[in-house]
Amino acid sequence: MRDPHALFTRVPVNRTLGFTLVSCGEGQAVITMPVREEYLQETGYLQGGIVSAVADTAAAYALLPGLPQDRGMTGVEFKINFLRPTLPGRGDVTARARVVRQGKTIGVCQVSVEQEGREVAVATFTYLFFERPPKPA
């Protein structure tokens, strides 16, 4: 079985964006991230792509523990609704993902993104599972 925490720390975008894997397993994952000045858009709110990235990562790590070693996955669709602005100076952002369904070829997760205990976005992510090609000798 893969060690999600070890894998998480090796992913460059997770380090670049300051993501922290708080928990992972049993069809759920929680990831936090700081709201840094360089992540803000024109009006001073956290840019939506950054919010989407933390939600996507939480969804992927909710599915990962249930994925066999010989399988990989990739996102194929997502929908996100932004409910309120995510602001600097109001603490970290937390993405909480839960698996809705994890089949043989498709997985679906729902994610709630929060700041200060208030929901700032909700999202649904769909992933395709595939057989990993054998590693070259």
Side-chain angles (χ1 to χ4, degrees):
M1 172 168 244
R2 297 171 218 207
D3 177 359
H5 291 276
L7 178 61
F8 186 87
T9 59
R10 290 194 313 263
V11 177
V13 71
N14 295 341
R15 293 191 310 270
T16 298
L17 295 177
F19 293 172
T20 299
L21 181 59
V22 176
S23 66
C24 175
E26 298 183 21
Q28 66 79 37
V30 177
I31 295 178
T32 61
M33 67 163 291
V35 179
R36 297 179 181 157
E37 184 178 335
E38 60 266 32
Y39 302 160
L40 305 181
Q41 43 90 303
E42 301 81 4
T43 56
Y45 303 142
L46 186 63
Q47 201 270 345
I50 303 290
V51 176
S52 298
V54 72
D56 178 33
T57 304
Y61 278 82
L63 289 163
L64 187 65
L67 194 64
Q69 281 285 114
D70 65 339
R71 306 283 286 167
M73 69 178 176
T74 189
V76 293
E77 180 180 46
F78 79 93
K79 179 186 185 325
I80 190 163
N81 292 98
F82 300 103
L83 307 175
R84 59 178 43 90
T86 307
L87 303 165
R90 296 211 179 155
D92 289 349
V93 169
T94 301
R96 300 177 192 283
R98 73 174 182 82
V99 174
V100 174
R101 183 171 191 304
Q102 187 161 359
K104 186 173 179 163
T105 57
I106 295 287
V108 177
C109 285
Q110 290 184 326
V111 183
S112 173
V113 183
E114 305 169 357
Q115 186 183 38
E116 291 186 312
R118 296 181 71 194
E119 205 166 46
V120 297
V122 292
T124 302
F125 289 83
T126 304
Y127 295 86
L128 174 68
F129 306 131
F130 54 88
E131 188 174 336
R132 289 177 178 261
K135 292 186 179 184

